[in-house]
Amino acid sequence: MGDPFRRKVHPRLSWDEYFLKIAMLVAERSTCRRHHIGAVIVRDRQILTTGYNGAAAGVKDCLELGCLRDELDIPSGERHEICRAIHAEQNAIIQAGLHGISIEGATIYCTHSPCILCAKMLVNARVKKFMTYGDYPDKAALELFKEAGVEFAKGRKPDPKISTLD
């Protein structure tokens, strides 16, 4: 019959899978009706900041007001200024600034590839790597990363199930 106290062993996540899975959890705070996006900025395997996409603090969000982009039939990746949400990467950068945390040399783990606006900010913040499992329709960010020397890596989407031994 076997030992009833023997625990089932789960494969251990790689560091990239671990931080991408955390980004998935961060995305659950999103107030966007179109996409839930999460970002985690990490250096030396330590989380520096997180961010998710949503309206500015203290103002009504899309869950309450509806999505203006949907109402105007604006495709993803276009007319960023119409959206009331701040992107997950932007919110993670803002959190670093608010708390006096340098993100130079860090890796950002994000559920989606970045738009060009976020890529510009990440380049200027001197982030060294962007890791994701998702896509974005505009490829301009990837060209900017290549030119600026920011490593871009795409992995597989982690299993969203939380595995524990109990």
Side-chain angles (χ1 to χ4, degrees):
M1 260 216 279
D3 183 351
F5 297 104
R6 185 176 178 168
R7 295 185 179 261
K8 184 176 177 183
V9 177
H10 293 278
R12 191 171 190 199
L13 296 174
S14 71
W15 286 108
D16 286 340
E17 290 170 320
Y18 173 73
F19 291 120
L20 282 173
K21 201 164 187 171
I22 292 171
M24 291 171 67
L25 183 60
V26 171
E28 290 190 19
R29 290 278 307 152
S30 173
T31 59
C32 178
R33 290 178 175 245
R34 281 186 165 195
H35 304 286
H36 285 191
I37 301 173
V40 179
I41 300 180
V42 175
R43 188 176 47 241
D44 299 327
R45 297 183 183 159
Q46 296 295 311
I47 295 173
L48 303 176
T49 65
T50 65
Y52 54 87
N53 58 325
V59 301
K60 293 179 181 177
D61 58 45
C62 296
L63 297 178
E64 187 175 347
L65 296 175
C67 178
L68 186 57
R69 293 173 60 82
D70 278 347
E71 291 170 19
L72 298 174
D73 200 30
I74 299 171
S76 184
E78 297 179 16
R79 306 281 319 272
H80 299 278
E81 74 281 3
I82 298 296
C83 183
R84 65 178 53 93
I86 299 165
H87 290 187
E89 303 96 318
Q90 294 168 355
N91 271 323
I93 293 167
I94 290 165
Q95 288 302 310
L98 284 173
H99 298 285
I101 300 168
S102 170
I103 59 173
E104 184 174 358
T107 296
I108 183 165
Y109 292 87
C110 193
T111 58
H112 291 67
S113 297
C115 72
I116 187 64
L117 298 173
C118 290
K120 289 176 186 179
M121 292 177 192
L122 292 165
V123 166
N124 269 12
R126 298 185 183 141
V127 167
K128 72 172 182 178
K129 181 179 177 182
F130 191 103
M131 178 77 189
T132 188
Y133 61 80
D135 288 316
Y136 191 75
D138 181 3
K139 302 300 180 201
L142 305 184
E143 294 168 17
L144 176 64
F145 280 168
K146 185 175 181 179
E147 182 180 345
V150 174
E151 180 184 349
F152 177 83
K154 187 173 176 192
R156 66 174 182 78
K157 182 178 181 178
D159 182 352
K161 183 178 180 282
I162 302 296
S163 299
T164 61
L165 294 177
D166 49 0

